[in-house]
Amino acid sequence: MSTPVHALPLAALRERTSEKWREYPADVLPLFVAETDFPLAPAITRALERAVATGDTGYVASRTPLPGAYAGFARRRFDWTPDPARMRSTADVSMGIVEILRRVTAPGDGVIVMPPVYPPFYDLVEEAGAVIERVPLRDTGTAWEIDLDGVDAALEDGARAVLLCSPHNPTGTVHSAASLAALAELAAAHGAAVVSDEIHAPLAQPGTGFTPFLAISDAAREVGYAVVSASKAFNLAGLKCALMVTASDGPTGVVRSLPVEVEWRTGQFGLLAAVAAFGEESDEWLDGLLTTLDENRRLLTDLLAENLPGAHYRIPDAGYLAWIDMTDLGWGENPAKRILREARVALHYGPAFGAEGAGHVRLNFGTSPEVLTDAVMRIAALRGA
């Protein structure tokens, strides 16, 4: 097991000026937005310090080492080697999704999303000029699965694209290779595209069997687009850098047709940080982070079982986000409101993820065991209030 990465002290974290630490007063424990509480990987710190020291703050170059760095990362972590020539960068995953959807759908076309899902997906589809087609994940009682029959029906009704979250946010589900292969076959049969948001992929726990969508099958390569970033695993969201990845001539042509400005929106610091993050020198740090998150996801299981037994939670396969069902506690459709008001813990509102989020909250456990424990104990105290 790798050496865990330790979160910074709470006092130091409160010196940060990002959304997580400025949205609420200092008496609130912020576990809502997907930022983590860990120091940067040393290679990233060195890359940014070097850029500041040399004034390397200009425009992103037309040729960069980022595609090659990601290809190496994918080979080491996923046993997959995408072609760097089939990638283009942009500012973030959301921008990449919108720009691709604009090319693969016409105004008014349906785009399938699988709620409960990352709330901005709904806005991104609308921004692209398309219409949401909801095909909720199936809850088997022990796991969440893609509803392939529902996807098939929506495609039969005219949906032109699938917006896939893989690994899934907020459930942390790593979709099986078999279900992804079946999804690709359905899309190919209906002439639809699959846009796969794989921002949480570097955070898949060892042994989960995560497979990038474009590595699944020939059908996936023909219909698929992946949008990837180092931002979630390495806490780089503010630096603005993502990659649009393709694996066959059709999708590659679509991405190459995007205006040059889409690529120029990439942040220079984001690109430099991503190259460092995807490099081999950051592998040990990432392994340590995964060890820490594994410990925290299991700690949360124990804390809820012992102190808040009415809350139901399945250990996620990937990431640092916990999807918690609080329906049995009787705290209403949006329990995060009461938790913020009375326990002074900020969690993401469940209903924002879709109708399936009623009675749920999303909790970010990318923090220290002490903060996580304090948060759960504050929430548990509401049971007697």
Side-chain angles (χ1 to χ4, degrees), residues 172-303:
T173 300
V174 168
H175 301 300
S176 72
S179 66
L180 293 177
L183 176 65
E185 293 291 341
L186 289 174
H190 291 281
V194 177
V195 183
S196 184
D197 172 356
E198 299 183 2
I199 197 169
H200 294 274
L203 293 169
Q205 286 289 338
T208 60
F210 173 79
T211 305
F213 184 75
L214 298 179
I216 286 291
S217 65
D218 287 341
R221 287 182 278 277
E222 290 296 327
V223 303
Y225 303 77
V227 193
V228 304
S229 177
S231 63
K232 283 293 181 283
F234 294 91
N235 205 43
L236 303 174
L239 298 186
K240 295 300 176 185
C241 180
L243 274 172
M244 298 170 288
V245 184
T246 57
S248 67
D249 290 347
T252 298
V254 169
V255 170
R256 285 178 178 168
S257 75
L258 296 174
V260 67
E261 287 296 332
V262 173
E263 195 160 8
W264 268 40
R265 291 169 186 156
T266 309
Q268 170 73 341
F269 275 12
L271 188 141
L272 295 172
V275 170
F278 288 138
E280 288 188 65
E281 56 190 344
S282 291
D283 282 353
E284 183 178 354
W285 184 93
L286 181 56
D287 289 339
L289 176 65
L290 289 170
T291 296
T292 296
L293 297 179
D294 180 42
E295 293 172 352
N296 281 0
R297 65 179 181 160
R298 297 178 190 282
L299 172 62
L300 181 57
T301 298
D302 295 339
L303 288 170

Side-chain angles (χ1 to χ4, degrees), residues 49-96:
E49 287 176 341
R50 185 164 55 247
V52 171
T54 61
D56 190 9
T57 55
Y59 293 112
V60 167
S62 58
R63 292 179 298 278
T64 77
L66 178 58
Y70 178 71
F73 180 86
R75 175 182 53 78
R76 297 191 310 276
R77 310 300 291 201
F78 311 136
D79 194 26
W80 172 56
T81 306
D83 183 353
R86 295 184 183 272
M87 306 179 196
R88 290 187 76 184
S89 69
T90 191
D92 54 36
V93 166
S94 291
M95 183 173 290

